[in-house]
């Protein structure tokens, strides 16, 4: 029976992709109409909100932290963040559309990196504000971070002075791939899982300073705890490699461990 017998208009069924394209085109028209009827300031704030909306996800914040260590493939990002490859790709697409990340292709692999060097600074600012203003964040930091390390962490400028004076040894406890992408100049790469078998390499007359991905990375806390249990003097750096690099302190790439601070 024809559709008209039911009082319905006959319509063409569009393919899924075509239907999505139509919706996107309609959304573009609506946005253009909205912009024409908004003040320049409101238009600007609409666009400024795009990166903020993209960052409003725990998974995407973790992906940005991982990319702050250096560029990575989708597979590698999925592994380090503990989410599926499909979800990782979805989140990365959102970050890319907001201008936070970019990509390149290497054979069949898609490699992502941060699009702006100041993104780690934005993550740090968000963390500090949340610690001060959100009771839940402050509680988690106290229970799971501060409680693991009662000693004051080493400041960046203090670390430089102590290394140059021969008073400290710096270890990077991130995975080797992250170390190769960039590390504190003079730091030795000892991934956390390798630490127990390399204790003999540590000098007894120097303080050992460990660092990892950032202020909320547990690797440095775990390394310091393990070293103290074996009688070494150990502290962690106040934050991680992205913050060190952003502050324009000496950095190096590759596996050459003969570089010096």
């Amino acid at each position: 029976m024809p559709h008209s017998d039911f009082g319905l208009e006959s319509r063409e069924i569009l393919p899924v992709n075509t239907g999505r394209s139509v919706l996107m085109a309609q959304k573009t028209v609506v946005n253009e109409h909205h912009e024409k009827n908004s003040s320049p300031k409101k238009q600007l704030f609409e666009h400024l909100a795009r990166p903020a909306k993209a960052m409003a996800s725990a998974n995407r914040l973790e992906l940005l932290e991982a990319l702050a260590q250096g560029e990575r493939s989708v597979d590698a990002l999925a592994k380090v963040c503990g989410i599926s490859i499909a979800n990782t790709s979805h989140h990365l697409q959102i970050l890319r559309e907001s201008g936070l990340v970019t990509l390149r292709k290497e054979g069949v692999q898609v490699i992502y990196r941060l699009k702006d060097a100041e993104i780690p600074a934005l993550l740090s600012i968000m963390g500090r504000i949340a610690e001060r203003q959100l009771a839940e964040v402050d509680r988690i930091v106290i229970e799971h971070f501060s409680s693991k390390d009662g000693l004051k962490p080493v400041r960046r400028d203090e670390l430089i002075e102590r290394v140059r004076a021969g008073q400290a040894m710096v270890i990077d406890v991130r995975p080797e791939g992250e170390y190769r992408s960039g590390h504190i100049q003079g730091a030795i790469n000892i991934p956390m899982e390798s630490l127990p078998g390399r204790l003999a390499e540590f000098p007894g007359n120097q303080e050992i300073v460990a660092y990892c991905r950032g202020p909320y990375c547990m690797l440095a806390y775990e390394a310091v705890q393990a070293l103290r249990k074996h009688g070494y003097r150990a502290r962690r750096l106040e934050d991680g490699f992205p913050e060190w690099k952003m502050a324009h302190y000496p950095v190096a790439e590759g596996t050459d461990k003969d570089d010096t601070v």
Side-chain angles (χ1 to χ4, degrees):
M1 188 177 293
H3 287 303
S4 56
D5 289 350
F6 288 91
L8 301 174
E9 294 183 0
S10 176
R11 64 180 64 184
E12 180 182 0
I13 304 300
L14 297 174
V16 173
N17 288 340
T18 303
R20 186 178 296 118
S21 298
V22 170
L23 289 174
M24 290 179 65
Q26 291 173 341
K27 185 177 179 180
T28 300
V29 171
V30 171
N31 288 341
E32 288 177 351
H33 175 76
H34 175 71
E35 286 195 356
K36 288 179 180 178
N37 291 276
S38 300
S39 69
K41 180 180 178 180
K42 289 189 181 295
Q43 293 177 37
L44 178 62
F45 279 4
E46 287 287 343
H47 291 294
L48 290 179
R50 290 175 59 193
K53 289 178 181 177
M55 294 177 73
S57 158
N59 284 332
R60 292 196 283 276
L61 288 176
E62 193 169 6
L63 285 167
L64 290 173
E65 181 198 53
L67 287 171
Q69 317 306 314
E71 63 177 17
R72 292 193 188 197
S73 67
V74 176
D75 290 3
L77 287 167
K79 183 177 180 180
V80 75
C81 294
I83 54 180
S84 70
I85 293 176
N87 277 340
T88 300
S89 296
H90 171 70
H91 288 306
L92 288 169
Q93 183 61 32
I94 293 173
L95 292 171
R96 185 185 177 203
E97 289 173 353
S98 68
L100 294 171
V101 304
T102 186
L103 62 79
R104 66 179 178 84
K105 292 190 176 180
E106 192 174 276
V108 297
Q109 283 195 321
V110 179
I111 311 295
Y112 279 87
R113 62 178 174 82
L114 295 183
K115 200 169 183 180
D116 195 296
E118 289 191 311
I119 291 173
L122 181 57
L123 295 175
S124 295
I125 292 169
M126 288 172 60
R128 289 196 298 271
I129 292 174
E131 284 184 38
R132 290 195 299 264
Q133 306 301 332
L134 299 178
E136 296 89 344
V137 174
D138 187 51
R139 176 184 58 79
I140 291 171
V141 170
I142 292 173
E143 289 181 4
H144 299 280
F145 293 89
S146 301
S147 63
K148 293 182 180 294
D149 186 6
L151 294 181
K152 187 176 181 180
V154 182
R155 301 188 317 274
R156 302 183 206 114
D157 56 346
E158 179 188 359
L159 180 61
I160 291 279
E161 293 175 3
R162 292 183 64 77
V163 169
R164 288 177 176 169
Q167 299 172 345
M169 171 185 178
V170 187
I171 62 171
D172 182 323
V173 294
R174 298 174 302 161
E176 184 181 352
E178 296 180 22
Y179 175 84
R180 287 187 180 190
S181 294
H183 56 267
I184 291 177
Q185 191 173 357
I188 297 174
N189 185 214
I190 304 182
M192 189 57 212
E193 64 271 16
S194 304
L195 186 64
R198 298 181 64 177
L199 290 172
E201 298 179 28
F202 297 111
N205 62 342
Q206 290 181 320
E207 183 178 45
I208 302 161
V209 179
Y211 75 88
C212 53
R213 295 172 181 141
Y216 303 130
C217 177
M218 296 299 297
L219 298 176
Y221 288 87
E222 293 169 2
V224 166
Q225 280 188 321
L227 288 166
R228 288 177 185 166
K229 284 181 181 179
H230 286 85
Y232 293 99
R233 291 185 298 119
R235 283 193 292 166
R236 60 184 177 82
L237 185 63
E238 60 183 341
D239 37 43
F241 173 69
E243 292 81 9
W244 177 278
K245 181 179 179 181
M246 193 170 50
H248 304 294
Y249 283 94
V251 299
E253 296 181 357
T255 58
D256 182 8
K257 300 179 180 64
D258 293 327
D259 47 17
T260 55
V261 177

